[in-house]
Amino acid sequence: MEPLRHLANNMVRAGQPAWWYRFSYVAETQRGGLKGALHGFEIPYTFNLPAALVGADNVMPDDEIGTWQVGIG
């Protein structure tokens, strides 16, 4: 992760906007089967659609992550 943070800092120093984030949430129903969040797993949560990732197995904690993640500012 450090090289990405370094790149973002350099972009800001050059006067360019940059955003760096880390997403590590794993849906309740996928825990135990995954070692961590995979690339792109943040996308359903960004649009507050966690059920798009796990379908009918969606549970309340997953919905809550969707509501607070879109509020990052």
Side-chain angles (χ1 to χ4, degrees):
M1 292 294 169
E2 195 59 39
L4 294 176
R5 184 178 303 165
H6 180 71
L7 175 62
N9 287 335
N10 283 340
M11 294 294 292
V12 170
R13 277 190 222 109
Q16 299 298 315
W19 293 266
W20 181 85
Y21 68 93
R22 178 178 170 202
F23 185 85
S24 60
Y25 183 78
V26 176
E28 292 280 328
T29 58
Q30 294 179 324
R31 293 180 187 175
L34 297 173
K35 292 184 180 180
L38 301 176
H39 177 74
F41 267 30
E42 78 280 6
I43 295 171
Y45 294 98
T46 300
F47 294 103
N48 197 16
L49 299 169
L53 184 63
V54 295
D57 293 334
N58 191 45
V59 294
M60 183 57 74
D62 300 334
D63 288 334
E64 291 171 1
I65 293 296
T67 59
W68 68 258
Q69 209 237 339
V70 296
I72 294 173

